[in-house]
Amino acid sequence: MAPTPGGNRRTRVHVVSDVHGNVRDLARAGDGADALVCLGDLVLFLDYADHSRGIFPDLFGRENASRLVELRTARRFEEARAFGAALWAGVGTDRAAAIERAVRRQYAELFTAFPTPTYATYGNVDMPMLWPEYAGPGTRVLDGERVEIGGWTFGFVGGGLRTPMRTPYEISDEEYAAKIEAVGEVDVLCTHIPPEVPELVYDTVARRFERGSRALLEAIRRTRPRYSLFGHVHQPLVRRMRIGATECVNVGHFAGSGRPWVLEW
């Protein structure tokens, strides 16, 4: 990482989201930056591009993973849940315990790869209750909170809104809106999910609209941050657009690209 910002020197922050198990590139993501910002989804449960990767195929094989992706992509969520339940019943093990063990193995590697300093918030597939065990002294976890980096104020809101997918960290619209309100006016508003704008929430590969936040969109219009940064939608129809005075940027599917998005001022 670069030295702590000072004087008139420019500040450089690297931003990643949707890491999904990419430990190798995460270990280099902070090179040349004053800080790394991570917008969540560290865990890889199932890779929609490579069905051999993730917790699900490790447990049930690539063929079953491909079938699950097929059902979800077709928005046949009830069938997908029934299919998954039948697989779990067949292995005769405690589902929650097995997933937690697998997530712990991934977190042990991922949190070790974070550079110092890292500012991180949760994604919808993360398990927040485990983060305190793995976040080292150089990693600050923020959710509904603010921090100053290089003279700019960054606000962080983690997690996703409730969906038929029922991922681990989905919360109500009211709880999410309260965290947005708690952050208030900032220079850079950092969230896992995007504002509720059709072009920003549509995934062109999954062929569906992901859930964005209307409260986030309203906050952008009201408080006018310089930037709204987010991830969640891996292959968005539009990666970048302006909403009033705010530059809204999907910082990318880091698991696939391996490259952080760069913010410099």
Side-chain angles (χ1 to χ4, degrees), residues 35-67:
L36 179 71
V37 166
C38 179
L39 303 183
D41 270 11
L42 300 183
V43 172
L44 178 61
F45 187 77
L46 176 58
D47 190 329
Y48 278 54
D50 180 353
H51 303 167
S52 68
R53 298 181 63 242
I55 295 171
F56 191 90
D58 285 350
L59 290 168
F60 302 114
R62 179 171 183 159
E63 184 176 340
N64 286 323
S66 296
R67 176 59 176 161

mmCIF file of all heavy atoms in Angstrom, residues 35-67:
data_model
loop_
_atom_site.group_PDB
_atom_site.id
_atom_site.type_symbol
_atom_site.label_atom_id
_atom_site.label_comp_id
_atom_site.label_asym_id
_atom_site.label_seq_id
_atom_site.Cartn_x
_atom_site.Cartn_y
_atom_site.Cartn_z
ATOM 1 N N ALA A 35 -5.583 2.905 0.275
ATOM 2 C CA ALA A 35 -6.536 2.078 1.007
ATOM 3 C C ALA A 35 -7.278 1.196 0.022
ATOM 4 O O ALA A 35 -7.411 1.526 -1.162
ATOM 5 C CB ALA A 35 -7.529 2.938 1.793
ATOM 6 N N LEU A 36 -7.757 0.069 0.523
ATOM 7 C CA LEU A 36 -8.645 -0.799 -0.243
ATOM 8 C C LEU A 36 -10.035 -0.717 0.360
ATOM 9 O O LEU A 36 -10.194 -0.770 1.585
ATOM 10 C CB LEU A 36 -8.152 -2.245 -0.205
ATOM 11 C CG LEU A 36 -9.029 -3.256 -0.952
ATOM 12 C CD1 LEU A 36 -8.903 -3.061 -2.460
ATOM 13 C CD2 LEU A 36 -8.678 -4.688 -0.571
ATOM 14 N N VAL A 37 -11.040 -0.600 -0.497
ATOM 15 C CA VAL A 37 -12.439 -0.645 -0.079
ATOM 16 C C VAL A 37 -13.048 -1.907 -0.678
ATOM 17 O O VAL A 37 -12.930 -2.151 -1.886
ATOM 18 C CB VAL A 37 -13.206 0.604 -0.554
ATOM 19 C CG1 VAL A 37 -14.713 0.408 -0.415
ATOM 20 C CG2 VAL A 37 -12.767 1.830 0.247
ATOM 21 N N CYS A 38 -13.697 -2.716 0.153
ATOM 22 C CA CYS A 38 -14.334 -3.950 -0.302
ATOM 23 C C CYS A 38 -15.823 -3.881 -0.003
ATOM 24 O O CYS A 38 -16.214 -3.682 1.157
ATOM 25 C CB CYS A 38 -13.712 -5.175 0.365
ATOM 26 S SG CYS A 38 -14.490 -6.727 -0.133
ATOM 27 N N LEU A 39 -16.637 -4.086 -1.036
ATOM 28 C CA LEU A 39 -18.086 -3.951 -0.904
ATOM 29 C C LEU A 39 -18.792 -5.302 -0.810
ATOM 30 O O LEU A 39 -19.980 -5.413 -1.134
ATOM 31 C CB LEU A 39 -18.640 -3.132 -2.076
ATOM 32 C CG LEU A 39 -18.014 -1.742 -2.231
ATOM 33 C CD1 LEU A 39 -18.672 -0.971 -3.353
ATOM 34 C CD2 LEU A 39 -18.072 -0.951 -0.928
ATOM 35 N N GLY A 40 -18.075 -6.317 -0.349
ATOM 36 C CA GLY A 40 -18.730 -7.542 0.068
ATOM 37 C C GLY A 40 -18.838 -8.649 -0.953
ATOM 38 O O GLY A 40 -18.289 -8.599 -2.047
ATOM 39 N N ASP A 41 -19.573 -9.684 -0.545
ATOM 40 C CA ASP A 41 -19.689 -10.957 -1.249
ATOM 41 C C ASP A 41 -18.316 -11.604 -1.417
ATOM 42 O O ASP A 41 -17.839 -11.830 -2.529
ATOM 43 C CB ASP A 41 -20.402 -10.793 -2.598
ATOM 44 C CG ASP A 41 -21.908 -10.959 -2.469
ATOM 45 O OD1 ASP A 41 -22.411 -10.995 -1.327
ATOM 46 O OD2 ASP A 41 -22.598 -11.047 -3.509
ATOM 47 N N LEU A 42 -17.724 -11.915 -0.274
ATOM 48 C CA LEU A 42 -16.443 -12.619 -0.281
ATOM 49 C C LEU A 42 -16.627 -14.097 -0.621
ATOM 50 O O LEU A 42 -15.784 -14.709 -1.275
ATOM 51 C CB LEU A 42 -15.766 -12.498 1.091
ATOM 52 C CG LEU A 42 -15.451 -11.087 1.591
ATOM 53 C CD1 LEU A 42 -14.719 -11.160 2.917
ATOM 54 C CD2 LEU A 42 -14.631 -10.325 0.580
ATOM 55 N N VAL A 43 -17.725 -14.665 -0.181
ATOM 56 C CA VAL A 43 -17.949 -16.106 -0.278
ATOM 57 C C VAL A 43 -18.300 -16.517 -1.709
ATOM 58 O O VAL A 43 -18.996 -15.795 -2.421
ATOM 59 C CB VAL A 43 -19.086 -16.530 0.678
ATOM 60 C CG1 VAL A 43 -19.480 -17.987 0.467
ATOM 61 C CG2 VAL A 43 -18.671 -16.304 2.121
ATOM 62 N N LEU A 44 -17.809 -17.667 -2.116
ATOM 63 C CA LEU A 44 -18.215 -18.266 -3.385
ATOM 64 C C LEU A 44 -19.048 -19.499 -3.079
ATOM 65 O O LEU A 44 -18.528 -20.536 -2.680
ATOM 66 C CB LEU A 44 -16.997 -18.659 -4.226
ATOM 67 C CG LEU A 44 -17.332 -19.336 -5.566
ATOM 68 C CD1 LEU A 44 -18.154 -18.403 -6.451
ATOM 69 C CD2 LEU A 44 -16.073 -19.790 -6.280
ATOM 70 N N PHE A 45 -20.357 -19.374 -3.269
ATOM 71 C CA PHE A 45 -21.254 -20.514 -3.086
ATOM 72 C C PHE A 45 -21.429 -21.281 -4.393
ATOM 73 O O PHE A 45 -21.376 -22.509 -4.429
ATOM 74 C CB PHE A 45 -22.614 -20.041 -2.571
ATOM 75 C CG PHE A 45 -23.544 -21.163 -2.207
ATOM 76 C CD1 PHE A 45 -23.385 -21.869 -1.018
ATOM 77 C CD2 PHE A 45 -24.573 -21.531 -3.053
ATOM 78 C CE1 PHE A 45 -24.221 -22.923 -0.689
ATOM 79 C CE2 PHE A 45 -25.424 -22.577 -2.741
ATOM 80 C CZ PHE A 45 -25.243 -23.275 -1.554
ATOM 81 N N LEU A 46 -21.600 -20.523 -5.489
ATOM 82 C CA LEU A 46 -21.786 -21.152 -6.790
ATOM 83 C C LEU A 46 -21.411 -20.153 -7.868
ATOM 84 O O LEU A 46 -21.926 -19.040 -7.899
ATOM 85 C CB LEU A 46 -23.244 -21.594 -6.958
ATOM 86 C CG LEU A 46 -23.653 -22.205 -8.303
ATOM 87 C CD1 LEU A 46 -22.802 -23.422 -8.623
ATOM 88 C CD2 LEU A 46 -25.134 -22.585 -8.275
ATOM 89 N N ASP A 47 -20.489 -20.542 -8.744
ATOM 90 C CA ASP A 47 -20.029 -19.684 -9.835
ATOM 91 C C ASP A 47 -20.917 -19.936 -11.057
ATOM 92 O O ASP A 47 -20.906 -21.027 -11.619
ATOM 93 C CB ASP A 47 -18.567 -20.004 -10.155
ATOM 94 C CG ASP A 47 -17.951 -18.990 -11.102
ATOM 95 O OD1 ASP A 47 -18.675 -18.435 -11.936
ATOM 96 O OD2 ASP A 47 -16.722 -18.767 -11.012
ATOM 97 N N TYR A 48 -21.664 -18.907 -11.468
ATOM 98 C CA TYR A 48 -22.583 -19.070 -12.596
ATOM 99 C C TYR A 48 -21.846 -19.222 -13.924
ATOM 100 O O TYR A 48 -22.416 -19.706 -14.903
ATOM 101 C CB TYR A 48 -23.555 -17.893 -12.664
ATOM 102 C CG TYR A 48 -24.735 -18.029 -11.725
ATOM 103 C CD1 TYR A 48 -24.562 -18.250 -10.364
ATOM 104 C CD2 TYR A 48 -26.031 -17.934 -12.199
ATOM 105 C CE1 TYR A 48 -25.634 -18.383 -9.508
ATOM 106 C CE2 TYR A 48 -27.134 -18.055 -11.355
ATOM 107 C CZ TYR A 48 -26.914 -18.286 -10.006
ATOM 108 O OH TYR A 48 -27.988 -18.424 -9.160
ATOM 109 N N ALA A 49 -20.581 -18.799 -13.967
ATOM 110 C CA ALA A 49 -19.797 -18.936 -15.194
ATOM 111 C C ALA A 49 -19.049 -20.266 -15.250
ATOM 112 O O ALA A 49 -18.879 -20.853 -16.309
ATOM 113 C CB ALA A 49 -18.811 -17.778 -15.323
ATOM 114 N N ASP A 50 -18.585 -20.727 -14.095
ATOM 115 C CA ASP A 50 -17.846 -21.997 -14.011
ATOM 116 C C ASP A 50 -18.507 -22.841 -12.924
ATOM 117 O O ASP A 50 -18.265 -22.648 -11.738
ATOM 118 C CB ASP A 50 -16.375 -21.738 -13.683
ATOM 119 C CG ASP A 50 -15.547 -23.014 -13.585
ATOM 120 O OD1 ASP A 50 -16.130 -24.122 -13.637
ATOM 121 O OD2 ASP A 50 -14.318 -22.908 -13.446
ATOM 122 N N HIS A 51 -19.333 -23.781 -13.320
ATOM 123 C CA HIS A 51 -20.165 -24.521 -12.373
ATOM 124 C C HIS A 51 -19.380 -25.527 -11.533
ATOM 125 O O HIS A 51 -19.959 -26.192 -10.677
ATOM 126 C CB HIS A 51 -21.296 -25.240 -13.114
ATOM 127 C CG HIS A 51 -22.153 -24.318 -13.920
ATOM 128 N ND1 HIS A 51 -23.051 -24.757 -14.863
ATOM 129 C CD2 HIS A 51 -22.252 -22.958 -13.905
ATOM 130 C CE1 HIS A 51 -23.651 -23.714 -15.421
ATOM 131 N NE2 HIS A 51 -23.188 -22.620 -14.853
ATOM 132 N N SER A 52 -18.078 -25.599 -11.753
ATOM 133 C CA SER A 52 -17.247 -26.498 -10.949
ATOM 134 C C SER A 52 -16.707 -25.818 -9.700
ATOM 135 O O SER A 52 -16.116 -26.485 -8.841
ATOM 136 C CB SER A 52 -16.066 -27.023 -11.777
ATOM 137 O OG SER A 52 -15.150 -25.972 -12.083
ATOM 138 N N ARG A 53 -16.911 -24.498 -9.558
ATOM 139 C CA ARG A 53 -16.313 -23.743 -8.467
ATOM 140 C C ARG A 53 -17.359 -23.346 -7.429
ATOM 141 O O ARG A 53 -18.453 -22.915 -7.792
ATOM 142 C CB ARG A 53 -15.617 -22.478 -8.994
ATOM 143 C CG ARG A 53 -14.484 -22.752 -9.944
ATOM 144 C CD ARG A 53 -13.820 -21.467 -10.408
ATOM 145 N NE ARG A 53 -13.220 -20.759 -9.295
ATOM 146 C CZ ARG A 53 -13.578 -19.535 -8.895
ATOM 147 N NH1 ARG A 53 -14.571 -18.897 -9.498
ATOM 148 N NH2 ARG A 53 -12.973 -18.958 -7.867
ATOM 149 N N GLY A 54 -17.001 -23.490 -6.150
ATOM 150 C CA GLY A 54 -17.858 -23.015 -5.075
ATOM 151 C C GLY A 54 -18.267 -24.111 -4.108
ATOM 152 O O GLY A 54 -17.985 -25.294 -4.312
ATOM 153 N N ILE A 55 -18.938 -23.681 -3.048
ATOM 154 C CA ILE A 55 -19.357 -24.600 -1.994
ATOM 155 C C ILE A 55 -20.326 -25.647 -2.533
ATOM 156 O O ILE A 55 -20.199 -26.837 -2.229
ATOM 157 C CB ILE A 55 -19.998 -23.808 -0.833
ATOM 158 C CG1 ILE A 55 -18.956 -22.903 -0.163
ATOM 159 C CG2 ILE A 55 -20.618 -24.753 0.191
ATOM 160 C CD1 ILE A 55 -19.535 -21.928 0.846
ATOM 161 N N PHE A 56 -21.288 -25.227 -3.345
ATOM 162 C CA PHE A 56 -22.305 -26.156 -3.828
ATOM 163 C C PHE A 56 -21.706 -27.285 -4.679
ATOM 164 O O PHE A 56 -21.968 -28.467 -4.409
ATOM 165 C CB PHE A 56 -23.391 -25.400 -4.593
ATOM 166 C CG PHE A 56 -24.605 -26.226 -4.902
ATOM 167 C CD1 PHE A 56 -25.673 -26.280 -4.012
ATOM 168 C CD2 PHE A 56 -24.691 -26.973 -6.073
ATOM 169 C CE1 PHE A 56 -26.796 -27.059 -4.286
ATOM 170 C CE2 PHE A 56 -25.804 -27.752 -6.356
ATOM 171 C CZ PHE A 56 -26.854 -27.794 -5.459
ATOM 172 N N PRO A 57 -20.919 -26.992 -5.712
ATOM 173 C CA PRO A 57 -20.338 -28.101 -6.485
ATOM 174 C C PRO A 57 -19.342 -28.941 -5.683
ATOM 175 O O PRO A 57 -19.190 -30.138 -5.956
ATOM 176 C CB PRO A 57 -19.656 -27.403 -7.667
ATOM 177 C CG PRO A 57 -19.473 -25.997 -7.240
ATOM 178 C CD PRO A 57 -20.609 -25.690 -6.334
ATOM 179 N N ASP A 58 -18.665 -28.333 -4.709
ATOM 180 C CA ASP A 58 -17.772 -29.126 -3.853
ATOM 181 C C ASP A 58 -18.557 -30.212 -3.119
ATOM 182 O O ASP A 58 -18.065 -31.322 -2.918
ATOM 183 C CB ASP A 58 -17.070 -28.222 -2.833
ATOM 184 C CG ASP A 58 -15.959 -27.386 -3.460
ATOM 185 O OD1 ASP A 58 -15.617 -27.645 -4.631
ATOM 186 O OD2 ASP A 58 -15.465 -26.465 -2.791
ATOM 187 N N LEU A 59 -19.789 -29.881 -2.732
ATOM 188 C CA LEU A 59 -20.612 -30.831 -1.988
ATOM 189 C C LEU A 59 -21.387 -31.784 -2.898
ATOM 190 O O LEU A 59 -21.533 -32.969 -2.590
ATOM 191 C CB LEU A 59 -21.599 -30.066 -1.098
ATOM 192 C CG LEU A 59 -20.998 -29.310 0.095
ATOM 193 C CD1 LEU A 59 -22.029 -28.378 0.707
ATOM 194 C CD2 LEU A 59 -20.488 -30.285 1.148
ATOM 195 N N PHE A 60 -21.869 -31.268 -4.040
ATOM 196 C CA PHE A 60 -22.833 -32.043 -4.831
ATOM 197 C C PHE A 60 -22.427 -32.297 -6.282
ATOM 198 O O PHE A 60 -23.163 -32.951 -7.012
ATOM 199 C CB PHE A 60 -24.199 -31.337 -4.808
ATOM 200 C CG PHE A 60 -24.750 -31.138 -3.432
ATOM 201 C CD1 PHE A 60 -24.901 -29.869 -2.900
ATOM 202 C CD2 PHE A 60 -25.085 -32.232 -2.642
ATOM 203 C CE1 PHE A 60 -25.405 -29.681 -1.626
ATOM 204 C CE2 PHE A 60 -25.588 -32.057 -1.355
ATOM 205 C CZ PHE A 60 -25.748 -30.780 -0.850
ATOM 206 N N GLY A 61 -21.283 -31.768 -6.701
ATOM 207 C CA GLY A 61 -20.806 -32.034 -8.050
ATOM 208 C C GLY A 61 -21.255 -31.001 -9.066
ATOM 209 O O GLY A 61 -22.232 -30.278 -8.874
ATOM 210 N N ARG A 62 -20.525 -30.952 -10.178
ATOM 211 C CA ARG A 62 -20.770 -29.945 -11.216
ATOM 212 C C ARG A 62 -22.126 -30.135 -11.888
ATOM 213 O O ARG A 62 -22.808 -29.155 -12.209
ATOM 214 C CB ARG A 62 -19.652 -30.005 -12.247
ATOM 215 C CG ARG A 62 -19.837 -29.014 -13.381
ATOM 216 C CD ARG A 62 -18.641 -28.909 -14.273
ATOM 217 N NE ARG A 62 -18.849 -27.883 -15.292
ATOM 218 C CZ ARG A 62 -17.882 -27.286 -15.943
ATOM 219 N NH1 ARG A 62 -16.617 -27.601 -15.696
ATOM 220 N NH2 ARG A 62 -18.146 -26.384 -16.864
ATOM 221 N N GLU A 63 -22.530 -31.364 -12.147
ATOM 222 C CA GLU A 63 -23.792 -31.602 -12.846
ATOM 223 C C GLU A 63 -24.970 -31.035 -12.060
ATOM 224 O O GLU A 63 -25.851 -30.376 -12.625
ATOM 225 C CB GLU A 63 -23.989 -33.099 -13.087
ATOM 226 C CG GLU A 63 -25.238 -33.428 -13.895
ATOM 227 C CD GLU A 63 -25.366 -34.912 -14.196
ATOM 228 O OE1 GLU A 63 -24.344 -35.628 -14.116
ATOM 229 O OE2 GLU A 63 -26.495 -35.347 -14.500
ATOM 230 N N ASN A 64 -24.978 -31.269 -10.756
ATOM 231 C CA ASN A 64 -26.054 -30.724 -9.930
ATOM 232 C C ASN A 64 -25.969 -29.203 -9.840
ATOM 233 O O ASN A 64 -26.993 -28.516 -9.784
ATOM 234 C CB ASN A 64 -26.009 -31.344 -8.537
ATOM 235 C CG ASN A 64 -26.512 -32.769 -8.527
ATOM 236 O OD1 ASN A 64 -27.456 -33.106 -9.235
ATOM 237 N ND2 ASN A 64 -25.879 -33.621 -7.732
ATOM 238 N N ALA A 65 -24.744 -28.680 -9.827
ATOM 239 C CA ALA A 65 -24.579 -27.229 -9.812
ATOM 240 C C ALA A 65 -25.137 -26.611 -11.088
ATOM 241 O O ALA A 65 -25.811 -25.572 -11.047
ATOM 242 C CB ALA A 65 -23.104 -26.871 -9.655
ATOM 243 N N SER A 66 -24.900 -27.261 -12.222
ATOM 244 C CA SER A 66 -25.414 -26.759 -13.498
ATOM 245 C C SER A 66 -26.944 -26.769 -13.504
ATOM 246 O O SER A 66 -27.582 -25.843 -14.023
ATOM 247 C CB SER A 66 -24.878 -27.598 -14.655
ATOM 248 O OG SER A 66 -23.468 -27.475 -14.754
ATOM 249 N N ARG A 67 -27.516 -27.798 -12.931
ATOM 250 C CA ARG A 67 -28.977 -27.872 -12.870
ATOM 251 C C ARG A 67 -29.549 -26.756 -11.999
ATOM 252 O O ARG A 67 -30.565 -26.133 -12.354
ATOM 253 C CB ARG A 67 -29.409 -29.240 -12.317
ATOM 254 C CG ARG A 67 -30.907 -29.411 -12.124
ATOM 255 C CD ARG A 67 -31.670 -29.216 -13.413
ATOM 256 N NE ARG A 67 -33.108 -29.470 -13.226
ATOM 257 C CZ ARG A 67 -34.037 -29.043 -14.060
ATOM 258 N NH1 ARG A 67 -33.711 -28.355 -15.153
ATOM 259 N NH2 ARG A 67 -35.310 -29.315 -13.824
#
